[in-house]
Amino acid sequence: MSTIGFGGVVIGVSLASQTGWGSWEVLLALVVGIVSLALFCRRQLHLDEPILNVRAFGIRSFSVGTSLVMVDFMVIMSSMYLLPMYWQDGLMVPVALTGMLMLPGDIINAVVSSISGRLFDRLGGRRPVIAGFCVAAVGAVLLVLTNSHSAYWYVVVAHIILMIGAPLAMSPAQTYGLNALPPRLAADGSSIMNTLQQICGAIATALSTSLMSTGEAGQRTRDAVSSGTRMGFMLTLALAVIGVIVATVFVRQQQAPADVEETSATQSAGHEAPAER
């Protein structure tokens, strides 16, 4: 069920760039995928040892953290998919030089990833996640404004800004979600995040391809590729904005996992939690 479900969704999104979102192939694949995923989740709820314990989504902070991780991963994957094509076919940069021009952003990504966890320890999850998505949105805006004659330094700077923001939000969002789980669900929560990251990465790539094809309008000239990648970067921008909104609205001070379990047990027994003074 999971294979058919996740596969159906990815295939449906992938086919949309070729046959259109309204084609029967896309609609059939999406319907089969979504229905299979619903049946998969229903079955997991009735197993003593589920493959993925979807009960973890019953904890609000975990659901919010997982959603933010998925959005952030899609921001990274969509930009990493589009940028090399823009460099090579939009700016006519050789392959070897493309790798060198991508390197500064990748180095910044690694550096920020190594320190973002410490920011969570000092500031909590809310401020680093919001700041990260805001910075990523700025980088995405700069990429949306590119064209076939953009300066190399401009694209490199836009990439660096994006790679400051995305990893800045990733680790705090992941820690925020996993910290909300009680110990018995910790392994399941990690498995759920790892699984959904792969699926969302595939979906982000497929959506970027679809938008890029729309922007190119059937052509493969330098200007057409630049136009297509700009439309693809609009997806990156939209995802970053969604991340800002979700983090601003839903990320709050966390309740300890033990307190979450105790509160749930108290409520299920029909007792009221004492009012906070």
Side-chain angles (χ1 to χ4, degrees):
M1 289 182 182
S2 63
T3 301
I4 295 174
F6 290 126
V9 172
V10 173
I11 289 173
V13 175
S14 300
L15 288 175
S17 61
Q18 304 174 14
T19 61
W21 287 97
S23 65
W24 69 268
E25 297 98 330
V26 171
L27 295 177
L28 178 61
L30 291 176
V31 169
V32 170
I34 293 172
V35 171
S36 297
L37 286 177
L39 294 174
F40 171 75
C41 292
R42 182 177 180 273
R43 175 166 172 75
Q44 299 310 298
L45 292 173
H46 293 84
L47 293 176
D48 294 332
E49 296 183 6
I51 298 175
L52 291 177
N53 194 341
V54 295
R55 289 185 179 85
F57 286 111
I59 299 176
R60 179 181 178 275
S61 295
F62 174 75
S63 298
V64 173
T66 301
S67 300
L68 291 171
V69 170
M70 299 307 103
V71 171
D72 200 13
F73 196 71
M74 292 177 74
V75 167
I76 295 173
M77 290 301 297
S78 61
S79 61
M80 291 297 94
Y81 173 74
L82 292 167
L83 267 173
M85 288 188 287
Y86 171 64
W87 278 116
Q88 295 176 47
D89 299 328
L91 297 179
M92 308 306 292
V93 174
V95 175
L97 182 56
T98 296
M100 295 177 64
L101 292 170
M102 293 283 292
L103 185 60
D106 295 335
I107 293 175
I108 294 297
N109 184 3
V111 172
V112 176
S113 296
S114 66
I115 65 175
S116 58
R118 299 176 186 176
L119 292 178
F120 179 88
D121 296 333
R122 293 182 180 180
L123 304 175
R126 179 179 172 83
R127 283 183 284 179
V129 172
I130 294 175
F133 278 115
C134 287
V135 174
V138 173
V141 168
L142 295 177
L143 290 174
V144 169
L145 297 177
T146 55
N147 55 51
S148 58
H149 302 287
S150 296
Y152 290 3
W153 66 265
Y154 174 87
V155 183
V156 171
V157 169
H159 182 206
I160 289 176
I161 294 175
L162 184 65
M163 288 297 102
I164 292 174
L168 180 61
M170 177 64 77
S171 183
Q174 189 173 24
T175 307
Y176 176 83
L178 292 177
N179 278 1
L181 295 176
R184 61 184 178 81
L185 290 177
D188 293 292
S190 180
S191 298
I192 289 172
M193 280 195 180
N194 289 333
T195 300
L196 292 182
Q197 277 189 13
Q198 308 308 314
I199 302 302
C200 288
I203 292 175
T205 302
L207 287 174
S208 299
T209 302
S210 179
L211 291 172
M212 184 175 178
S213 299
T214 302
E216 289 178 349
Q219 303 179 17
R220 198 60 185 176
T221 63
R222 180 175 179 176
D223 290 335
V225 171
S226 298
S227 176
T229 52
R230 280 201 307 272
M231 185 164 288
F233 287 132
M234 290 181 184
L235 171 65
T236 307
L237 175 59
L239 290 168
V241 172
I242 291 172
V244 173
I245 295 173
V246 172
T248 302
V249 175
F250 294 106
V251 176
R252 293 290 183 266
Q253 185 67 31
Q254 280 188 311
Q255 189 179 22
D259 296 336
V260 173
E261 286 192 312
E262 183 180 348
T263 301
S264 300
T266 303
Q267 292 176 348
S268 63
H271 300 290
E272 277 189 2
E276 185 177 5
R277 294 182 181 274

